[in-house]
Amino acid sequence: MKDYYVIIDCDPGIDDAMAIMNAVNSGNIEVKLISTVSGNLTIEETVKNALKLTELFKVDIPVAEGAKEPVKRQAIYASQAQGTKGLGGYQFRTPKTKPFVLKSPDAIHYFLCDNMAKNTTLLCMGPMTNVANLLKKYPEAKEMISRIVFMGGSKDENGSTEPYREFNVAYDPEAVDIVLKSNIPFVLVPMELGHIAYFTPEEQLKIKRANKVGKAFYKMFKKYNDFHVGKLGAAVHDSCSALYLSNPEIFTTEPAKLSVKYHKKNNQEYGYIKCDFDAKDPNALVCVDVDVEKFKKIIYGNLFNYN
Ligand code: RIB
Ligand code: CA
């Protein structure tokens, strides 16, 4: 019996791929749906990538197509970081599986209703557009979601310079604002964790030597231009949120009041999450640290399932 009934919402994406591999191989998570959203790439690419990944990871989990555009803004993609097809340099074959009959947010709502008894955790590893659309179309959905774990934002204000422009929030800040205002229990897994949880080139070779799936990740990482840690390695941001679900004991969290703010730079306005750790009325938990050694050991263990 698995502990957590989970719906993943993501924009695969290389680090999404590693996170999905971890989620579907962890002992206590039952992934019932992989919902996709445009973000790293267009929705056409992210839904196709999610289908390719369920085949690579040999799991029979429905994949739903979701939002094409942010709730209000124009889409801004991140293919420069993820490679033109969004999964770096690994050549996947065209997926045979077809997307789920419903699109998100209807697909998310369907699986929420399917699990009324146990409540559901939403693991959000891309822009929050689908979740915002879900809450707008089905207000009652907020009672069916036990908590939201979101990879996004930054826990530091970067001192006096300027707020960190993290992609998942900057792509659709209005969606994050809608979700935060729903008061669904919320856990933020910010950028800073990915800045310490990364695989060095040597560790990527260890991943390559593991098995066929490891080789696939090695090729994905080869084209992963993740500027966050540069030549140090491949920052696996999304896996931090997936492992928070499967192994919360390796993370340190602090309560904070989260709110969406907007910052203008060179005539470009972007949204970010402000974390107020001194607030008397916190509305979320923020992951502020992770035991990186244990983090990597768990990922290697999940990967070795494919031996
Ligand atoms: O900023 C990192 C986040 O943006 C990750 O989820 C990555 O996949 C991109 O979506
Ligand atoms: Ca992502």
Side-chain angles (χ1 to χ4, degrees):
M1 174 67 181
K2 301 228 177 174
D3 300 335
Y4 299 131
Y5 185 107
V6 175
I7 292 174
I8 291 178
D9 194 66
C10 58
D11 59 339
I14 296 166
D15 63 324
D16 303 70
M18 175 65 84
I20 292 168
M21 187 281 289
N22 283 300
V24 300
N25 279 286
S26 70
N28 58 345
I29 286 182
E30 181 170 2
V31 178
K32 301 302 281 186
L33 170 70
I34 297 174
S35 163
T36 57
V37 64
S38 83
N40 280 318
L41 294 108
T42 63
I43 190 65
E44 290 75 18
E45 292 298 341
T46 57
V47 66
K48 204 187 313 168
N49 286 346
L51 291 167
K52 292 174 187 172
L53 292 167
T54 54
E55 292 180 2
L56 177 66
F57 301 144
K58 299 186 186 347
V59 287
D60 179 16
I61 297 173
V63 170
E65 177 179 335
K68 286 181 184 299
E69 298 284 342
V71 293
K72 202 176 114 182
R73 294 165 181 255
Q74 291 291 317
I76 37 152
Y77 305 112
S79 53
Q80 75 285 355
Q82 305 281 351
T84 42
K85 292 281 176 209
L87 289 175
Y90 182 66
Q91 293 310 314
F92 286 80
R93 59 158 197 252
T94 308
K96 293 193 176 66
T97 353
K98 297 291 172 233
F100 187 59
V101 61
L102 295 176
K103 292 188 176 182
S104 287
D106 301 332
I108 297 176
H109 186 252
Y110 174 87
F111 280 95
L112 286 175
C113 294
D114 179 49
N115 174 52
M116 285 290 276
K118 284 181 277 170
N119 262 324
T120 303
T121 294
L122 292 193
L123 173 58
C124 299
M125 309 189 295
M128 299 206 93
T129 317
N130 286 333
V131 184
N133 290 338
L134 170 81
L135 295 173
K136 284 196 285 186
K137 185 169 182 180
Y138 303 104
E140 78 283 4
K142 68 183 277 191
E143 307 310 327
M144 300 187 241
I145 300 167
S146 58
R147 69 181 161 161
I148 292 174
V149 177
F150 174 50
M151 189 278 127
S154 160
K155 69 182 175 67
D156 299 326
E157 287 263 319
N158 270 6
S160 56
T161 49
E162 64 193 12
Y164 197 98
R165 188 182 175 287
E166 187 280 323
F167 179 81
N168 286 344
V169 175
Y171 179 95
D172 198 348
E174 286 76 15
V176 179
D177 192 45
I178 290 167
V179 176
L180 282 178
K181 285 176 178 159
S182 72
N183 294 321
I184 295 169
F186 197 93
V187 180
L188 184 73
V189 185
M191 275 318 288
E192 286 79 9
L193 295 203
H195 293 166
I196 53 175
Y198 59 85
F199 286 107
T200 64
E202 300 68 38
E203 289 164 338
Q204 291 174 41
L205 281 169
K206 173 175 176 177
I207 288 170
K208 178 184 181 184
R209 285 192 293 268
N211 49 40
K212 178 174 172 286
V213 173
K215 281 191 187 68
F217 278 117
Y218 183 77
K219 288 197 172 171
M220 288 186 236
F221 286 143
K222 277 290 137 233
K223 294 269 174 72
Y224 186 32
N225 305 314
D226 168 40
F227 63 89
H228 302 283
V229 293
K231 294 277 170 265
L232 286 175
V236 283
H237 305 285
D238 290 334
S239 287
C240 296
S241 53
L243 264 70
Y244 177 78
L245 267 196
S246 61
N247 300 84
E249 71 282 357
I250 68 170
F251 291 83
T252 308
T253 59
E254 283 175 21
K257 172 99 180 182
L258 305 187
S259 53
V260 174
K261 304 287 181 199
Y262 296 90
H263 178 77
K264 216 171 208 163
K265 177 183 175 184
N266 315 331
N267 243 355
Q268 279 268 328
E269 185 215 58
Y270 63 89
Y272 66 95
I273 291 180
K274 178 175 174 48
C275 298
D276 179 356
F277 290 98
D278 303 323
K280 298 282 174 282
D281 55 342
N283 62 354
L285 277 180
V286 178
C287 290
V288 293
D289 200 4
V290 61
D291 179 325
V292 177
E293 201 180 321
K294 288 183 182 165
F295 175 83
K296 291 181 180 177
K297 199 156 166 265
I298 291 163
I299 293 181
Y300 294 138
N302 288 333
L303 179 63
F304 296 155
N305 278 341
Y306 292 96
N307 284 359

